[in-house]
Amino acid sequence: MEARDAVNTIKDERIINCDTKGQYFLGKLTAINPYLRTIIIGKNNDVWCSSLAGNSLAIIGKITPPQHPLDLVEVTANDKKKTKQPILIYRVALDDKVIFITISDAYLRSILDSSEIEMNASIIVNDLSLQSRGPLSHYKEIPTWYNKINSIKHPFIISYQPSKFINFSRMFHQGGVMILLMIITFLGVMYLVKYVLTKFYSLTESLRKAIVRGEIVPYYQPIINCQNGKIYGVEVLARWEHKTHGPISPDTFINLAEKNGLIIKLTNSLMKQVSLDINNDKFKKRADFHVGINISAQHFKSENFVHDCKIFKSSINDENITIVLEITEREELIINNILKNKLTTLYNEGFLLALDDFGTGYSGLSYLNDIQVDYLKIDKSFVSKISNDSNSLVLLNSVIDLAQRLSIKVIAEGVENELQVSYLRKRDIMLMQGYYFSKPVPASKLLDMIT
Ligand code: G
Ligand code: G
Ligand code: MN
């Protein structure tokens, strides 16, 4: 502003000659304006008049035409120490002349230091910036997240570090938005984890209670002997009719029970209920009835497994009932001597063993190698491939071949239509289970089916 005023004064005064009077006039202007260092009027790239005695240039090296109205430059003061001195040059064209006014850096720095402007303020002109301390630096060295104010009238920018408190623009530039997103995501995940855990625990808790209260009940899916069309036996399938959640699929709660160590309790509870259901006269009248029960790997591994099975068998106490333990491949069962000894004991007690979901797991074949298996249950995914397209039957046929070569009885699971029945029969598979014959049914319904 002082420089502009000075220019206006010079314009008003219309210095025609750079005589002593003219020089005095310029010298007086700088003398009364503490912020103005020198005033130089240039003409044809040369000094025409200067506020310094003898029209000298002092610290401005060369008079150049005004490409920029403002310039920050660093000049070496003409002393022995050669200290560098930043100054601001203000240029204004006046007719055939150019007025140069140099403004003291002390003045600029005092503004930058003032408390009205926030931290680390600097003034940027063209590519250079002047801070409240130190030499000129390059504009690019100023952090990008600093706030910047452009002067409307003049080509300079004031930049400053925004307040230390939350500032989105700075956060954005400092990767803060990422941090914010991470916090939001974290909170979201925490909420979800809490939600899932609460739900999981409440479900686990209600499963635990349901087992104790006997609310997990056995359903029975008939296995049909297609040679005579009679019921060969059943597979016990757990069902949970939850009062508030409605029927819960075994896929869900068996998994949950396996994860929470509840599966053994669950199976033992089912065994108890099955024995009560089967101790019915209708079964007593039948010869040979197969009762398949799913056993998880955990249960096989448990110390009490043989004991649990023996209790089950003794509570049925029927010579005609054959209990078949179905091993699923859902959890890996490591076959070692302890397991082999348990199985031998159970064989001696009259139990049989079935490999469930055969062909879907990873260890079925190795089981066949190491333990005696009485039944192979071909998984429904193979049976469902039986259609008019015989190309999809390679795997099914291989599994059947394998079973027959090993002289293991085969039960086909998930039989849903006549085509499948006739195909399986052609392949000498006589034991079938599936919706084509019956869905899993409660005990009362099973009793009705058994004549
Ligand atoms: O009954 P499905 O109808 O929906 O059974 C789903 C899955 O749950 C099957 O893989 C079945 O083997 C398993 N399953 C059902 N009941 C029991 C059970 O009492 N114990 C174990 N370990 N698995 C079961
Ligand atoms: O223990 P396993 O995984 O084999 O359990 C048999 C599963 O197959 C149970 O979930 C039972 O309800 C289901 N199931 C029984 N018969 C059929 C059938 O014909 N079709 C289909 N899709 N599923 C069946
Ligand atoms: Mn099964």
Side-chain angles (χ1 to χ4, degrees):
M1 216 173 76
E2 279 80 1
R4 204 177 51 227
D5 289 347
V7 167
N8 288 336
T9 316
I10 295 165
K11 279 181 182 170
D12 292 346
E13 196 68 20
R14 291 259 154 223
I15 307 171
I16 299 155
N17 292 312
C18 186
D19 48 16
T20 358
K21 201 178 150 205
Q23 276 190 19
Y24 168 75
F25 171 71
L26 295 181
K28 193 175 130 197
L29 268 180
T30 53
I32 56 172
N33 257 309
Y35 307 120
L36 305 184
R37 278 183 182 263
T38 46
I39 299 173
I40 297 149
I41 302 175
K43 190 177 172 183
N44 300 331
N45 289 351
D46 217 340
V47 180
W48 180 72
C49 201
S50 157
S51 62
L52 293 171
N55 280 351
S56 51
L57 265 181
I59 52 176
I60 300 178
K62 199 176 164 216
I63 298 298
T64 49
Q67 304 115 317
H68 305 289
L70 276 182
D71 247 337
L72 267 176
V73 292
E74 216 158 39
V75 291
T76 311
N78 211 2
D79 59 11
K80 280 182 188 143
K81 285 185 201 155
K82 303 256 179 221
T83 45
K84 293 214 165 168
Q85 185 80 42
I87 52 164
L88 181 69
I89 306 174
Y90 178 60
R91 293 188 186 86
V92 181
L94 180 70
D95 305 328
D96 57 342
K97 303 181 191 78
V98 183
I99 305 171
F100 294 80
I101 298 182
T102 66
I103 298 160
S104 155
D105 65 310
Y107 171 55
L108 299 170
R109 292 191 207 258
S110 72
I111 298 172
L112 295 175
D113 251 348
S114 80
S115 59
E116 279 163 55
I117 299 178
E118 296 180 56
M119 308 287 295
N120 292 338
S122 54
I123 177 164
I124 301 157
V125 180
N126 302 322
D127 274 343
L128 290 169
S129 103
L130 176 81
Q131 280 91 13
S132 58
R133 261 163 289 279
L136 292 182
S137 61
H138 265 276
Y139 166 54
K140 288 200 179 76
E141 286 157 23
I142 294 174
T144 50
W145 46 270
Y146 271 39
N147 280 355
K148 292 173 187 82
I149 304 168
N150 278 62
S151 160
I152 301 166
K153 280 190 184 158
H154 303 288
F156 71 87
I157 300 168
I158 298 284
S159 95
Y160 62 91
Q161 182 181 356
S163 91
K164 295 257 186 237
F165 297 105
I166 293 173
N167 177 303
F168 286 102
S169 117
R170 183 175 55 173
M171 283 176 80
F172 182 80
H173 287 103
Q174 284 182 315
V177 167
M178 279 304 293
I179 294 169
L180 203 70
L181 280 178
M182 277 162 69
I183 291 170
I184 292 168
T185 313
F186 175 75
L187 290 176
V189 168
M190 284 295 287
Y191 177 79
L192 261 176
V193 166
K194 190 174 167 247
Y195 176 81
V196 170
L197 281 183
T198 317
K199 200 142 174 109
F200 182 78
Y201 278 121
S202 69
L203 200 61
T204 307
E205 223 15 69
S206 60
L207 178 62
R208 192 193 307 278
K209 283 182 193 150
I211 294 166
V212 174
R213 292 178 189 149
E215 286 169 11
I216 312 288
V217 297
Y219 269 47
Y220 301 90
Q221 186 171 38
I223 297 164
I224 307 298
N225 182 347
C226 290
Q227 240 156 2
N228 56 21
K230 286 190 176 166
I231 295 178
Y232 179 81
V234 287
E235 175 179 2
V236 177
L237 290 162
R239 288 292 178 268
W240 185 6
E241 311 285 354
H242 197 280
K243 277 177 232 120
T244 48
H245 295 285
I248 296 175
S249 157
D251 284 325
T252 311
F253 71 82
I254 295 293
N255 232 311
L256 197 67
E258 281 173 345
K259 284 201 183 99
N260 291 286
L262 292 171
I263 190 68
I264 297 176
K265 269 197 178 129
L266 189 151
T267 308
N268 287 342
S269 156
L270 284 178
M271 284 175 168
K272 237 183 239 167
Q273 298 177 70
V274 169
S275 64
L276 290 175
D277 289 341
I278 284 183
N279 280 334
N280 184 290
D281 284 344
K282 277 204 177 172
F283 286 104
K284 294 252 158 55
K285 283 178 205 146
R286 285 184 58 104
D288 302 333
F289 195 76
H290 167 126
V291 175
I293 184 154
N294 293 290
I295 307 289
S296 294
Q298 257 181 65
H299 206 167
F300 274 104
K301 287 180 219 159
S302 101
E303 259 181 49
N304 291 327
F305 179 57
V306 173
H307 175 76
D308 292 344
C309 291
K310 280 184 179 172
I311 298 237
F312 181 36
K313 193 163 169 50
S314 65
S315 59
I316 290 176
N317 197 22
D318 183 342
E319 291 297 307
N320 295 328
I321 305 279
T322 305
I323 297 170
V324 182
L325 307 169
E326 295 193 5
I327 309 177
T328 49
E329 296 189 7
R330 265 197 311 272
E331 292 177 299
E332 195 182 2
L333 184 63
I334 297 155
I335 296 170
N336 52 23
N337 283 338
I338 302 170
L339 182 78
K340 283 183 187 170
N341 288 340
K342 285 180 190 169
L343 292 178
T344 309
T345 311
L346 290 169
Y347 271 120
N348 294 336
E349 294 282 331
F351 289 87
L352 295 182
L353 206 63
L355 268 192
D356 206 357
D357 309 318
F358 188 71
T360 59
Y362 44 83
S363 44
L365 283 174
S366 69
Y367 289 169
L368 289 179
N369 215 12
D370 292 330
I371 54 179
Q372 187 194 323
V373 172
D374 304 286
Y375 291 94
L376 277 187
K377 298 194 77 175
I378 298 180
D379 191 67
K380 51 183 175 279
S381 60
F382 295 108
V383 174
S384 69
K385 291 268 161 41
I386 303 173
S387 63
N388 290 319
D389 174 16
S390 58
N391 281 341
S392 56
L393 297 177
V394 181
L395 280 175
L396 173 73
N397 286 331
S398 310
V399 172
I400 295 172
D401 286 344
L402 183 66
Q404 288 172 342
R405 276 179 208 200
L406 292 167
S407 305
I408 301 175
K409 284 180 195 154
V410 174
I411 300 173
E413 282 191 313
V415 180
E416 292 180 340
N417 58 50
E418 199 134 14
L419 188 72
Q420 291 166 349
V421 176
S422 66
Y423 184 87
L424 291 164
R425 281 181 71 112
K426 256 189 256 159
R427 296 286 340 239
D428 281 330
I429 309 285
M430 291 301 162
L431 301 177
M432 299 185 206
Q433 182 184 343
Y435 296 165
Y436 179 73
F437 305 101
S438 169
K439 289 194 167 190
V441 293
S444 56
K445 201 145 184 216
L446 179 69
L447 288 172
D448 291 342
M449 292 164 93
I450 292 167
T451 45

